[in-house]
Amino acid sequence: MSKQTSERPVFPFTSIVGQEEMKLSLILNVIDPKIGGVMIMGDRGTGKSTIVRALVDLLPPINVVENDPYNSDPYDPELMSDEVLEKFKKNAKLSVIQVKTPMIDLPLGATEDRVCGTIDIEKAISEGVKAFEPGLLAQANRGILYVDEVNLLDDHLVDVLLDSAASGWNTVEREGISICHPAKFILVGSGNPEEGELRPQLLDRFGMHAQIKTVKEPNLRVKIVQQRELFERNPKEFKKMYQEEQDKLMQRIINARENLKKVNIKYELLEKISQICSDLNVDGLRGDMVTSRAAKALVAFENRDEVTPKDIFTVISLCLRHRLRKDPLESIDSGFKVQDTFKKIFEYE
């Protein structure tokens, strides 16, 4: 990445007005990437990509092995490419550098080769070496992969992305040659519902689903426009105004990642989460797992160590609304349906 692109001014995350649902979903995924990514659905011009870029700018830098195309972690064998792992096993000295958490934008017209990487068959046969040209999944390892208009992306490619995001590995097979490399990233997809829905079986694979709406209150709209104008006039000064808040939020995220292991959720709360999923006819167990993970991440973010019903109430709509079967005759928003079921089972007001 050139110096110029890495220093392009990014709108500060803490200065973004509204869109709390989306901001919370992204922060929780950054604290616990095992939640499984976020699908952001909303109107055009609501700042979806601005918020994702702002989040990446907020994240702490990561240690990587120098000149490694996979952002290999110098200390964790699970996150190393084969080449680095070989050196690591031989106790060879690894040159370590710090880089910004990577964020990869997936272009809409990307081919599978561009995404997964390609194997140079000729070179492999003539020279007997595995000549692999890494793709976007390699670059996204240990970072965020952002797909705008994910509902317009070819279903097969969405499948490939979701498989890699879930397993943390990307496998490319051509003519009997197989290459495997780490591809552990947070998948963030965004789309406009007017341009078509994502297939339910693909939608279910995203951990959380945030809905963002155009802000209606005139005073907030004016504030958003003013913020944008101030930022465009002098990005450096604008960022300085929010630097203290940005640093505090970054520290909270770092602490939450540490605290996550200590967070406890009582068995009866897990049972009630499963009861809600069962009452709402949610297929599979992903909904149960994601809800408890998200609630724990929220507790860690708030620097506590015990999950309460209120924490579950805060995250459960984000975790389940996209997993409900669509009834074309129902006008009620699925988020309200989830909350109603929660209130009945938890006897919560």
Side-chain angles (χ1 to χ4, degrees):
M1 186 182 278
S2 71
K3 202 170 169 36
Q4 196 184 350
T5 53
S6 65
E7 287 182 5
R8 193 175 64 180
V10 177
F11 203 74
F13 191 84
T14 48
S15 72
I16 292 164
V17 178
Q19 311 302 11
E20 300 308 321
E21 202 175 89
M22 177 177 171
K23 290 195 284 198
L24 179 67
S25 305
L26 289 168
I27 286 171
L28 296 184
N29 268 275
V30 163
I31 292 167
D32 183 4
K34 290 198 175 109
I35 288 170
V38 191
M39 177 69 192
I40 302 154
M41 274 298 193
D43 309 327
R44 278 186 298 272
T46 41
K48 297 188 284 283
S49 47
T50 302
I51 297 178
V52 178
R53 283 189 182 83
L55 175 82
V56 178
D57 195 48
L58 187 71
L59 298 179
I62 56 171
N63 289 318
V64 299
V65 176
E66 197 172 11
N67 297 327
D68 179 77
Y70 308 98
N71 304 320
S72 289
D73 187 325
Y75 312 110
D76 183 355
E78 281 285 293
L79 294 168
M80 288 179 184
S81 63
D82 289 350
E83 222 172 294
V84 173
L85 190 58
E86 281 301 308
K87 288 179 184 168
F88 181 75
K89 283 177 178 167
K90 289 174 182 161
N91 289 328
K93 192 175 185 318
L94 298 172
S95 173
V96 180
I97 56 165
Q98 274 203 336
V99 297
K100 273 192 74 59
T101 298
M103 169 174 165
I104 302 300
D105 255 317
L106 186 86
L108 204 53
T111 60
E112 190 179 342
D113 280 353
R114 177 83 186 91
V115 173
C116 300
T118 53
I119 297 171
D120 186 337
I121 302 294
E122 279 180 39
K123 197 171 180 185
I125 293 168
S126 62
E127 296 176 30
V129 290
K130 287 184 177 180
F132 182 60
E133 189 60 50
L136 295 173
L137 294 183
Q139 293 170 32
N141 187 33
R142 302 178 62 213
I144 290 177
L145 184 67
Y146 177 56
V147 189
D148 197 9
E149 308 293 1
V150 68
N151 43 346
L152 301 181
L153 199 64
D154 179 56
D155 276 352
H156 170 63
L157 261 187
V158 179
D159 248 343
V160 168
L161 295 178
L162 289 161
D163 280 343
S164 290
S167 67
W169 290 91
N170 172 42
T171 306
V172 182
E173 291 181 342
R174 299 277 186 282
E175 317 288 333
I177 297 170
S178 178
I179 303 266
C180 197
H181 70 77
K184 213 170 191 147
F185 53 83
I186 298 164
L187 183 63
V188 179
S190 71
N192 178 356
E194 289 170 14
E195 286 161 357
E197 288 289 333
L198 205 58
R199 289 209 324 262
Q201 56 270 49
L202 293 179
L203 204 51
D204 169 64
R205 303 270 295 278
F206 280 91
M208 300 177 90
H209 185 286
Q211 287 178 346
I212 56 175
K213 304 215 166 33
T214 305
V215 176
K216 294 280 186 270
E217 298 85 354
N219 59 329
L220 278 183
R221 289 174 78 115
V222 170
K223 191 176 178 190
I224 293 168
V225 172
Q226 285 176 331
Q227 296 270 67
R228 193 75 220 180
E229 281 177 357
L230 280 172
F231 173 71
E232 281 166 7
R233 204 174 300 150
N234 193 335
K236 278 190 178 151
E237 273 306 305
F238 187 79
K239 284 191 82 165
K240 236 179 240 170
M241 282 163 53
Y242 287 93
Q243 199 52 55
E244 198 180 323
E245 283 180 63
Q246 292 276 100
D247 291 344
K248 274 186 194 160
L249 184 53
M250 186 199 275
Q251 199 50 54
R252 275 185 78 185
I253 289 171
I254 294 168
N255 294 346
R257 284 173 169 176
E258 286 297 306
N259 297 343
L260 194 57
K261 305 175 194 78
K262 302 172 199 157
V263 175
N264 182 44
I265 180 164
K266 287 199 173 87
Y267 179 80
E268 55 263 33
L269 294 186
L270 289 171
E271 211 167 23
K272 283 181 175 173
I273 290 171
S274 291
Q275 178 70 55
I276 293 167
C277 293
S278 173
D279 283 15
L280 289 168
N281 287 323
V282 173
D283 291 331
L285 294 172
R286 260 197 206 106
D288 311 47
M289 290 193 279
V290 170
T291 305
S292 71
R293 276 192 185 285
K296 282 177 167 180
L298 177 64
V299 171
F301 184 56
E302 293 184 351
N303 201 15
R304 292 180 284 114
D305 54 16
E306 186 71 50
V307 175
T308 67
K310 185 172 182 267
D311 299 317
I312 298 168
F313 184 68
T314 305
V315 301
I316 197 159
S317 295
L318 297 167
C319 300
L320 297 184
R321 63 152 68 102
H322 55 303
R323 302 176 199 279
L324 307 191
R325 291 177 191 174
K326 291 270 186 291
D327 182 345
L329 301 174
E330 265 185 6
S331 58
I332 182 170
D333 170 58
S334 49
F336 291 124
K337 201 171 170 186
V338 173
Q339 287 178 354
D340 282 349
T341 310
F342 173 92
K343 283 173 182 171
K344 271 184 218 143
I345 288 169
F346 273 86
E347 295 167 5
Y348 184 88
E349 282 310 317

